[in-house]
């Protein structure tokens, strides 16, 4: 079954760091753009970042530029999100999602189950 | 960033109703718009891409239309499984954005 599984969420203090992982299975991970999307409790979806198939292009929402870094390891079928200088407003469920297999990232047809990040003292 | 505005925020409807949700972009996004359905505690599910193309496996009662800045998701004959929150998403720019969501509730 085509699947994405996130891990690495948890409770972290304000100002702290956390690294999320997303492991893909049953599809050619290296052929797809990948993205992170988050959802604060009771709120809507917020796109965070994406990364091209070979990691050569990365894009971020303005509010997270400089604090969050997206990366991937195609040999391990894994996507990562390094989050630094975390704030209370970063508290959310973080989803990884599969994008397009072309040169331009498109829509997200496969999603993980999400991992919860709570930023609190 | 391109802003996406959905209306209404909440919609009360009955089984069998025809439901329409609107999504407006702050600038033209051509046809680069998708619609997702999300149920509580679950990941979103892709319904429609390129404004009007139905994702494989999605029932034909769902349809999308529009281009430029104005888009619509229509559910023709609401089913019990359709009560959920719906989001539009633009993918015209490098920075993607979602609408704030429309919750479809049981009347």
């Amino acid at each position: 079954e085509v699947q994405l599984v996130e891990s690495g969420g948890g409770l972290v203090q304000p100002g702290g760091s956390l690294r999320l992982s997303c492991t893909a299975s049953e599809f050619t991970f290296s052929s797809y753009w990948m993205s992170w999307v988050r959802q604060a409790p009771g709120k809507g979806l917020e796109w965070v970042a994406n990364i091209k198939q070979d990691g050569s292009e990365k894009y971020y929402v303005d509010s997270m530029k400089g604090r969050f870094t997206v990366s991937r390891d195609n040999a391990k079928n894994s996507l990562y999100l390094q989050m630094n200088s975390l704030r209370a407003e970063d508290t959310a469920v973080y989803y990884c999602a599969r994008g397009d297999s072309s040169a331009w990232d498109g829509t997200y047809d496969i999603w993980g189950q999400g991992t919860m990040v709570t930023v609190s003292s | 960033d391109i802003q996406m505005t959905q209306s209404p925020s909440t919609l009360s409807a009955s089984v069998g109703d025809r439901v329409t949700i609107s999504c407006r972009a702050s600038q033209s996004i051509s046809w680069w718009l998708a619609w997702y359905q999300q149920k509580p505690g679950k990941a979103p599910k892709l319904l429609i891409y390129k404004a009007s193309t139905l994702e494989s496996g999605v029932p034909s009662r769902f349809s999308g239309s529009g281009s430029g800045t104005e888009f619509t998701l229509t559910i023709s004959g609401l089913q019990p499984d359709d009560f959920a929150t719906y989001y539009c998403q633009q993918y015209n720019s490098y920075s993607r954005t979602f609408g704030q969501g429309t919750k479809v509730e049981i009347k």
Side-chain angles (χ1 to χ4, degrees), chain A residues 39 59 95 104-105 107-108 112, chain B residues 34 36 38 43 91-92 94 96:
Chain A
Q39 187 169 37
Y59 301 99
Y95 295 100
W104 180 251
D105 190 20
T107 53
Y108 306 128
Chain B
Y36 297 85
Q38 188 182 33
Y91 51 106
N92 181 71
Y94 287 115
R96 275 82 167 111

Side-chain angles (χ1 to χ4, degrees), chain A residues 86-98:
Chain A
L86 283 163
R87 308 163 181 165
E89 53 265 36
D90 295 318
T91 294
V93 173
Y94 285 74
Y95 295 100
C96 66
R98 188 178 81 170

Side-chain angles (χ1 to χ4, degrees), chain A residues 8-85:
Chain A
L11 176 64
V12 60
Q13 291 190 339
S17 298
L18 210 56
R19 188 197 196 204
L20 306 183
S21 299
C22 170
T23 302
S25 55
E26 300 300 325
F27 68 93
T28 306
F29 178 76
S30 60
S31 295
Y32 291 86
W33 283 83
M34 296 296 297
S35 285
W36 288 99
V37 176
R38 73 181 186 181
Q39 187 169 37
K43 302 297 183 182
L45 301 171
E46 181 179 27
W47 182 83
V48 173
N50 64 356
I51 183 168
K52 198 174 180 179
Q53 290 91 332
D54 61 359
S56 61
E57 294 180 34
K58 305 175 186 181
Y59 301 99
Y60 301 87
V61 66
D62 284 347
S63 60
M64 292 167 220
K65 279 180 191 172
R67 295 195 301 126
F68 289 11
T69 303
V70 62
S71 62
R72 64 192 296 161
D73 184 336
N74 288 339
K76 295 182 178 179
N77 291 335
S78 292
L79 174 73
Y80 305 102
L81 185 67
Q82 177 68 43
M83 304 186 294
N84 298 328
S85 304

Side-chain angles (χ1 to χ4, degrees), chain B residues 18-41:
Chain B
R18 177 184 171 95
V19 164
T20 299
I21 298 169
S22 296
C23 177
R24 173 178 290 178
S26 60
Q27 64 189 71
S28 178
I29 57 171
S30 188
W31 303 278
W32 304 117
L33 184 101
W35 289 97
Y36 297 85
Q37 176 194 67
Q38 188 182 33
K39 295 181 180 179

